[in-house]
Amino acid sequence: MYFQVERIEEHCLELFDRDYKYSIIHNTNGEVCGHYPRKIVFLEYESSDSNKESFESTVQISKLQDLVNRSKMARCRGRFVCPVILYNGKHVCRSSTLAGWGELYGRTGYNYIFSGGSDDTFGDAEEVLEDDCAVGNNDSQLFDKVRGSDIKLLKYLSVRYICDLMVEKKKVKFGLNVTSSEKVDKAHRYADFTLLSVPYPGCEFFREYKDRDYTAEGLVFNWNQDYVDAPLTIPDFFTRNLNINWSEYRSWDLVQQTQNYLKLLLHIINSDDENGLLVHCISGWDRTPLFVSLLRLSLWADRAVHASLEPSEILYLTIAYDWFLFGLVLFLFHLNIYIFFFCFNFLKHIVCDTFSNHLCMPLSSHSVHWKRQIPSEERMPNVKSSSSSSSNHSDQNVTWTGSTPLAVPGRRPIVEYARPGSSMSTDYGSWQIVSGCGSIHDLPPVPSESPLPFSFQDEGPSGRMCTFVPDRQVRLEAVRELFLAAYSSTVGLKSSSPSPSGAISGLLEQFARGVGLRGTNAII
């Protein structure tokens, strides 16, 4: 198992290296956090092939490592604030919620005993924020220290916005508060941050999703349960710009709720040019990776992050890094595999431009394209390969075809996508116009405010079509189809008791061997 984790981790580093320069936060033996990656990536800036040789770090990595060591006790299970996505110079971070007094005292006592009394993580009182000491006279000095260190780490990462996905104010077990959260910190230590309470059901709820044959439409969470006491709280300057009736959140089904929360997160990271975002739930290994993954994949679909990665590669990175390496325990629990499946199956609900950062994003000249194999009877007639590219991968020098998820009775939906610059395509921003027989029609650009115009080929031999295909939809549908194929063949949709502990290895092995991850090195 250790060897497998090491190989998976190394391949993730290779994929990060395609587009970024990064430093490493060392967690070799799990001394910082036992269920975080052994090499935690700190993305510093985007980097193209032309400047790979020169690297000047933008942070003092030793200071960052020290801040991490000092702040790790502040959060549940030691899952400290960790940057995982770099978007326009801003960090999207993940963590668990704040630790409660029971866990905090228990873990500090445990660490002190088993370190032989030499644990000096919080030995320097001057590391505590002075403001915290002033307002926290009635609180434990230990709370002042650890939460003060947590705040220093957040500010060092330029995080301003904290989105709390918990449906409760504090997690209570057996009558005891086992966790806390920023929104109920009595000393108001987190007053300098913009706190958003966006309650979202945990992994237990997703058993209902599985029992409904993986159908999220019409599945509404029961907000009247006794333990649910965290209301939706979003600042007005965010809510008024999204054209969403937030007062109706208790009536939303799982699709609407996830869509609206993702729109909110995308709006937050696009509304501030300098400050980043923290997303967390309780333990940080079910709802947190769900929204981190959706953010990563949505931004990738717009070519805003990981610009050089193909669908199979971004899928591998998202599963391996966001889910597996940040939560090995996740796959020991049957319930969590359902929210994991929901994450990637949900991509079909965010393909439209309302989730895009740019309604008309031009395709760059270095964009990566791919080919998906489909049955011959579903292929377009007279489709020719393009030979205008000098790509190193010969199987990328072709026009490729895919099918739209929209079902039209009596017709076979066919969507074709041609490489920008080829003789078969006309580039209209983020749209590609391709005819049924491979010829170009002289058509005007599609207005960004108009609905998505799909065309379909008739069953008859004389059928011709012209299809407008948003680049975003094609990319997300490719990722979803790859995931469903691998999941079905490794975990299975019909199994009443899947084996999550072995599922992730099977999935990643499937990607490595069967969906075109390139390279000579083995992954598993």
Side-chain angles (χ1 to χ4, degrees):
M1 182 64 177
Y2 177 82
F3 177 72
Q4 288 183 339
V5 171
E6 186 177 19
R7 300 299 294 271
I8 291 170
E9 196 168 64
E10 288 302 317
H11 195 73
C12 287
L13 295 180
E14 293 174 10
L15 295 177
F16 278 121
D17 189 59
R18 299 273 189 90
D19 299 286
Y20 299 94
K21 283 296 186 180
Y22 61 84
S23 295
I24 294 294
I25 300 173
H26 293 284
N27 185 36
T28 306
N29 297 311
E31 61 272 16
V32 181
C33 180
H35 24 82
Y36 269 11
R38 295 179 309 110
K39 296 180 180 179
I40 301 170
V41 175
F42 178 78
L43 300 175
E44 299 206 29
Y45 55 85
E46 293 185 65
S47 177
S48 63
D49 291 335
S50 60
N51 59 2
K52 285 290 185 185
E53 298 302 323
S54 59
F55 173 54
E56 295 183 5
S57 179
T58 59
V59 297
Q60 299 177 27
I61 195 64
S62 59
K63 181 176 181 180
L64 179 61
Q65 185 93 38
D66 183 63
L67 285 172
V68 164
N69 288 331
R70 292 183 178 279
S71 67
K72 63 183 180 181
M73 302 295 289
R75 295 194 173 263
C76 177
R77 304 180 191 274
R79 297 173 68 86
F80 60 88
V81 175
C82 185
V84 287
I85 299 174
L86 183 65
Y87 170 62
N88 286 348
K90 298 166 290 187
H91 292 290
V92 176
C93 303
R94 63 180 293 172
S95 73
S96 61
T97 190
L98 295 178
W101 67 267
E103 179 180 2
L104 188 55
Y105 278 96
R107 260 194 299 125
T108 51
Y110 177 90
N111 290 348
Y112 182 84
I113 292 172
F114 285 92
S115 65
S118 61
D119 186 4
D120 62 349
T121 303
F122 312 108
D124 296 327
E126 62 268 23
E127 290 295 324
V128 182
L129 296 178
E130 294 180 0
D131 290 341
D132 281 333
C133 291
V135 299
N137 290 330
N138 296 325
D139 290 340
S140 163
Q141 184 181 7
L142 185 58
F143 270 104
D144 289 338
K145 289 183 178 181
V146 296
R147 291 188 181 175
S149 296
D150 182 65
I151 290 170
K152 293 193 73 171
L153 177 59
L154 285 165
K155 291 185 175 180
Y156 188 75
L157 297 171
S158 298
V159 170
R160 179 179 177 183
Y161 307 99
I162 301 177
C163 288
D164 183 350
L165 296 165
M166 296 169 58
V167 298
E168 54 270 285
K169 295 177 180 178
K170 296 181 179 182
K171 184 67 175 180
V172 180
K173 286 189 176 182
F174 308 110
L176 297 175
N177 294 329
V178 294
T179 71
S180 184
S181 63
E182 300 90 352
K183 59 181 178 281
V184 292
D185 179 70
K186 294 180 180 178
H188 304 290
R189 297 175 179 86
Y190 292 85
D192 290 342
F193 301 89
T194 301
L195 306 181
L196 298 91
S197 175
V198 281
Y200 189 88
C203 62
E204 299 86 357
F205 177 68
F206 284 81
R207 179 181 287 280
E208 297 184 39
Y209 168 67
K210 184 263 182 184
D211 292 342
R212 297 175 85 250
D213 198 23
Y214 301 97
T215 301
E217 292 84 353
L219 179 57
V220 180
F221 180 66
N222 179 10
W223 297 96
N224 296 319
Q225 300 173 79
D226 292 340
Y227 70 93
V228 179
D229 60 357
L232 181 75
T233 306
I234 305 173
D236 290 341
F237 54 83
F238 285 139
T239 58
R240 61 172 172 258
N241 294 322
L242 287 173
N243 195 29
I244 295 172
N245 189 347
W246 295 97
S247 64
E248 298 181 350
Y249 79 97
R250 286 173 172 254
S251 65
W252 294 340
D253 65 14
L254 190 57
V255 172
Q256 292 173 296
Q257 187 179 19
T258 310
Q259 285 178 325
N260 290 338
Y261 283 10
L262 180 60
K263 287 179 182 178
L264 173 64
L265 296 179
L266 289 168
H267 181 59
I268 290 172
I269 63 176
N270 280 293
S271 64
D272 192 320
D273 293 334
E274 298 180 354
N275 296 296
L277 165 70
L278 168 65
V279 180
H280 75 74
C281 51
I282 296 177
S283 294
W285 57 42
D286 56 0
R287 290 164 284 186
T288 298
L290 166 64
F291 282 99
V292 167
S293 296
L294 290 177
L295 276 173
R296 190 186 302 279
L297 290 166
S298 181
L299 294 170
W300 168 84
D302 291 334
R303 304 180 188 274
V305 299
H306 305 289
S308 71
L309 298 190
E310 299 182 17
S312 58
E313 293 168 331
I314 191 65
L315 179 57
Y316 184 99
L317 180 65
T318 305
I319 292 177
Y321 198 71
D322 293 338
W323 289 90
F324 181 59
L325 293 176
F326 269 94
L328 290 173
V329 263
L330 163 71
F331 292 95
L332 299 178
F333 300 98
H334 291 305
L335 293 178
N336 288 26
I337 200 72
Y338 305 138
I339 192 172
F340 169 71
F341 175 83
F342 171 80
C343 174
F344 297 94
N345 191 40
F346 186 77
L347 295 179
K348 64 184 177 181
H349 294 295
I350 62 170
V351 297
C352 62
D353 275 344
T354 57
F355 295 92
S356 178
N357 290 335
H358 309 285
L359 292 179
C360 294
M361 178 180 292
L363 290 176
S364 59
S365 59
H366 63 272
S367 299
V368 178
H369 302 274
W370 59 93
K371 178 180 180 180
R372 183 176 70 86
Q373 297 294 334
I374 61 171
S376 58
E377 65 271 13
E378 291 186 11
R379 292 180 182 172
M380 295 287 296
N382 303 325
V383 175
K384 300 179 180 179
S385 298
S386 168
S387 59
S388 60
S389 172
S390 59
S391 169
N392 291 331
H393 304 297
S394 59
D395 61 344
Q396 291 181 355
N397 297 333
V398 295
T399 299
W400 64 274
T401 304
S403 61
T404 169
L406 301 179
V408 178
R411 298 192 178 196
R412 176 178 301 153
I414 302 176
V415 176
E416 180 170 317
Y417 180 87
R419 294 182 61 258
S422 72
S423 60
M424 293 178 56
S425 70
T426 300
D427 193 349
Y428 289 99
S430 63
W431 299 86
Q432 295 291 306
I433 302 180
V434 184
S435 71
C437 61
S439 63
I440 297 298
H441 295 283
D442 185 14
L443 298 175
V446 181
S448 61
E449 66 273 13
S450 66
L452 183 64
F454 284 105
S455 298
F456 299 89
Q457 183 182 19
D458 289 329
E459 293 291 342
S462 62
R464 289 170 60 90
M465 76 168 189
C466 179
T467 305
F468 295 86
V469 185
D471 187 44
R472 175 185 177 85
Q473 175 180 341
V474 172
R475 288 160 68 82
L476 289 176
E477 278 297 315
V479 171
R480 177 174 174 266
E481 290 175 14
L482 288 171
F483 172 80
L484 291 178
Y487 189 93
S488 178
S489 63
T490 54
V491 182
L493 296 176
K494 299 300 182 181
S495 174
S496 59
S497 298
S499 177
S501 59
I504 191 65
S505 296
L507 278 172
L508 296 178
E509 184 175 4
Q510 176 83 356
F511 297 138
R513 298 178 180 176
V515 299
L517 282 172
R518 294 178 175 82
T520 57
N521 294 330
I523 298 172
I524 298 295

